[in-house]
Amino acid sequence: MSINNLIKSFVTDLKPVKVFKYGAKDYCLILLIGLFSILISLAIAGIRNDINDIIFTKRFIFEILILISLAMISSISALQMSIPNIKTHYFKKIIFINLVVWLISIIYFFINSEFVLAGWGFNCAQEIILTSVIPSFSIYFILKKASTLNRSVVGWLILTAGASYGALAAYFSCASNNPLHILIWHSLPVLIAGFIGFIAGNFILKKV
């Protein structure tokens, strides 16, 4: 076959490419899966006894809103970063700001409260990890439909989102209000999960 005929055959076989986009349905699905995972976690671990006393406090509401924002923005960013020509730098900035504000708020409450040892919080870390599994895998399977441009960052976003749902569950089940405990046993697992996702993203996500 001549080169001209070969080129002609390629042109003849061309088919229109469907532009791939994620929409509100995907975001809502991830949110529902995250909430479902939290409900399962609380059904197993139970809800803290003082929930009625702290649920309307400014600190509790503020930290819950930060985690909800972190989970949702991380999920949306992970999906958006798998679509070519979509600008996502502002998403990453928001996520970074969320993490920093969350950590600063915990440190602020730590400085302005009486020092108490953090104590053991393996149950909290375990709850965060287990709760994060279903949301993380749901985002991963949705992403399998697309090719990821920056696999390390998307891996970080996936596990940060999943672990944020886990941290939300821990806030409702863990009876400790100690900022040092929350910093070590609630915040650190989210940061470690993100780091693991950053490393693993190169190996488990589809390359462009």
Side-chain angles (χ1 to χ4, degrees):
M1 179 183 291
S2 66
I3 295 178
N4 289 336
N5 289 334
L6 181 62
I7 295 174
K8 185 177 179 180
S9 67
F10 286 147
V11 173
T12 304
D13 293 336
L14 285 178
K15 295 180 180 179
V17 177
K18 182 180 179 182
V19 178
F20 188 80
K21 291 183 179 180
Y22 292 106
K25 183 176 69 173
D26 299 296
Y27 307 141
C28 291
L29 177 62
I30 293 172
L31 175 61
L32 289 174
I33 291 173
L35 293 176
F36 178 70
S37 300
I38 291 174
L39 291 176
I40 293 176
S41 176
L42 294 178
I44 297 172
I47 299 176
R48 56 191 296 175
N49 295 326
D50 63 344
I51 189 65
N52 291 328
D53 298 325
I54 59 96
I55 194 168
F56 294 115
T57 60
K58 292 180 180 178
R59 174 186 168 186
F60 187 82
I61 293 173
F62 175 75
E63 293 179 352
I64 289 297
L65 290 177
I66 285 290
L67 281 173
I68 292 173
S69 175
L70 183 61
M72 287 304 302
I73 298 296
S74 297
S75 303
I76 293 171
S77 300
L79 299 184
Q80 291 296 311
M81 286 194 70
S82 297
I83 303 174
N85 299 322
I86 296 292
K87 295 180 180 180
T88 57
H89 60 278
Y90 49 90
F91 282 120
K92 289 183 281 187
K93 288 181 181 178
I94 294 173
I95 294 166
F96 180 75
I97 291 171
N98 276 352
L99 283 170
V100 170
V101 170
W102 183 33
L103 293 175
I104 289 176
S105 68
I106 295 171
I107 294 171
Y108 170 80
F109 289 118
F110 170 70
I111 294 173
N112 289 277
S113 62
E114 183 179 351
F115 176 78
V116 179
L117 291 175
W120 295 110
F122 289 111
N123 288 340
C124 295
Q126 177 179 286
E127 181 179 8
I128 291 171
I129 293 169
L130 293 178
T131 307
S132 72
V133 171
I134 297 177
S136 298
F137 270 102
S138 68
I139 300 172
Y140 169 73
F141 281 116
I142 291 174
L143 281 174
K144 287 186 73 176
K145 297 184 291 184
S147 296
T148 305
L149 301 177
N150 193 330
R151 292 176 293 163
S152 293
V153 174
V154 172
W156 167 63
L157 292 170
I158 291 173
L159 290 194
T160 296
S164 296
Y165 285 111
L168 275 168
Y171 264 90
F172 284 93
S173 62
C174 175
S176 177
N177 293 317
N178 182 0
L180 186 60
H181 172 89
I182 294 173
L183 182 64
I184 294 174
W185 297 108
H186 293 203
S187 304
L188 200 57
V190 176
L191 298 177
I192 292 174
F195 177 75
I196 293 173
F198 185 84
I199 301 299
N202 272 324
F203 302 98
I204 63 175
L205 292 172
K206 181 180 177 182
K207 187 178 181 180
V208 174

